[in-house]
Amino acid sequence: MHGVVFWKAQTGCDWSGGDSGQLFRPRDTSQLITRQDVRCNSHFLSTLPNPDLHLSIATGFGCVTISWPGFLSDFTVAGTNHEYVVSMLSGSESCAMMTGQNAASWGYFNIATNQWNIDILKDAGFPVHLLPECVPSGCMAGQTCCEWHGVHANTPVGAALGDFQCSDYSCMTDWTDAVLNISTSAQLTYAMPLDFTPPNIPDPTSSISYLLYFDGSYLVVAASLNGGNVVATLVGMLSGWMNELEVEVRDSNMYEKLIRCSLGVLPSWGKYTTRSAWARCKKYTPLTSP
């Protein structure tokens, strides 16, 4: 959601035939720059203008990455990898639409007004032509330009949604549910009342943040550091120890053993424990304050 990929309009991909219909392969694109990009350090962030939004900006955010000088001359379009796929499927020459869920994760996007901080960014010399038009979640971005993996041509393609919001939506069956999502990071979240509005000014010291959900509602999110990255570090450490003992073991086997251990410790999570595990806390009463 925070990441950005650049491509050239009209030549962003090549379509070719395949056993299951047409396939597309990236052509004139950049690498995907994710939220884990750390080139924009605190000194660089201090040179950027103050945004008009309720979330703090950070290295790895799309607008912050675009602000980094020196690599935009070859590209004319930008979006998350979600918008790239949507644009290629619909045959769009540009990234025409982005939902507020993804736009907010780029920074410099005001959720209350549903607008980019255009004036602030223009004054800073930001290439505002790269910012997609923002639309409500659920809007259609176009239609498939040809058959793709069994999906017929002219099938409606929706504007891309935030992956975090979708993962919560898939298991938050009641408004009073709380969801623990464990993936690259880990987040504990629940939905705020429908009349809730986030603070106008971000609090960099706060351990929680408010993300746009659906129909103008918000999620309150507390993120931790014990997600997939920590598991990967643990697997690397264990593999290193095994190698020093001259015992060959594949990382995939190590992951499998860790999953089996987690199933033994938490049997009630068994049917949910895959690469991404989550637990639902039924009838959780939202707090009135952090």
Side-chain angles (χ1 to χ4, degrees):
M1 290 174 58
H2 299 291
V4 58
V5 61
F6 304 92
W7 66 94
K8 290 184 180 180
Q10 299 181 321
T11 59
C13 75
D14 287 324
W15 284 91
S16 61
D19 295 336
S20 56
Q22 293 290 309
L23 306 173
F24 74 85
R25 300 183 184 279
R27 184 179 172 187
D28 293 329
T29 68
S30 70
Q31 295 182 354
L32 171 64
I33 304 171
T34 74
R35 67 176 181 83
Q36 294 177 293
D37 182 66
V38 294
R39 79 187 76 191
C40 301
N41 57 25
S42 58
H43 173 71
F44 180 79
L45 291 174
S46 68
T47 67
L48 299 179
N50 293 325
D52 176 23
L53 74 167
H54 75 284
L55 296 171
S56 299
I57 58 172
T59 183
F61 281 28
C63 284
V64 174
T65 301
I66 294 174
S67 298
W68 185 263
F71 64 95
L72 297 178
S73 58
D74 293 335
F75 304 107
T76 59
V77 189
T80 71
N81 55 345
H82 312 160
E83 279 77 40
Y84 171 74
V85 172
V86 168
S87 297
M88 297 307 105
L89 289 180
S90 57
S92 174
E93 296 182 2
S94 63
C95 179
M97 294 183 180
M98 176 184 276
T99 62
Q101 293 178 352
N102 280 345
S105 68
W106 264 21
Y108 290 97
F109 179 80
N110 190 303
I111 294 177
T113 62
N114 201 46
Q115 297 289 331
W116 296 104
N117 297 170
I118 294 293
D119 293 337
I120 295 175
L121 292 171
K122 274 186 177 180
D123 291 342
F126 184 93
V128 294
H129 66 277
L130 291 175
L131 297 175
E133 174 192 358
C134 288
V135 297
S137 301
C139 284
M140 292 297 106
Q143 296 179 328
T144 51
C145 58
C146 58
E147 183 179 357
W148 179 70
H149 284 286
V151 179
H152 298 297
N154 301 318
T155 298
V157 180
L161 303 173
D163 50 42
F164 176 73
Q165 286 86 342
C166 289
S167 65
D168 287 341
Y169 188 83
S170 68
C171 56
M172 189 181 288
T173 56
D174 293 322
W175 202 254
T176 51
D177 286 352
V179 176
L180 176 62
N181 182 68
I182 304 175
S183 52
T184 309
S185 178
Q187 303 91 10
L188 179 63
T189 182
Y190 60 85
M192 297 298 289
L194 293 176
D195 59 353
F196 171 81
T197 56
N200 293 327
I201 301 175
D203 181 3
T205 64
S206 176
S207 60
I208 64 172
S209 57
Y210 302 99
L211 301 185
L212 184 64
Y213 195 38
F214 292 96
D215 299 322
S217 63
Y218 292 85
L219 297 173
V220 58
V221 184
S224 73
L225 299 176
N226 59 341
N229 288 344
V230 173
V231 176
T233 300
L234 173 62
V235 168
M237 180 183 66
L238 294 176
S239 296
W241 289 351
M242 299 297 283
N243 289 333
E244 290 181 7
L245 295 173
E246 298 183 353
V247 177
E248 293 186 4
V249 59
R250 298 174 60 182
D251 284 356
S252 58
N253 293 339
M254 193 71 70
Y255 278 107
E256 182 180 355
K257 292 181 183 297
L258 289 174
I259 289 174
R260 288 180 178 177
C261 289
S262 68
L263 290 174
V265 175
L266 299 169
S268 62
W269 284 20
K271 63 179 179 179
Y272 300 125
T273 304
T274 55
R275 292 178 62 188
S276 178
W278 57 266
R280 193 187 320 169
C281 308
K282 296 296 292 179
K283 301 304 179 185
Y284 183 90
T285 302
L287 299 174
T288 56
S289 60

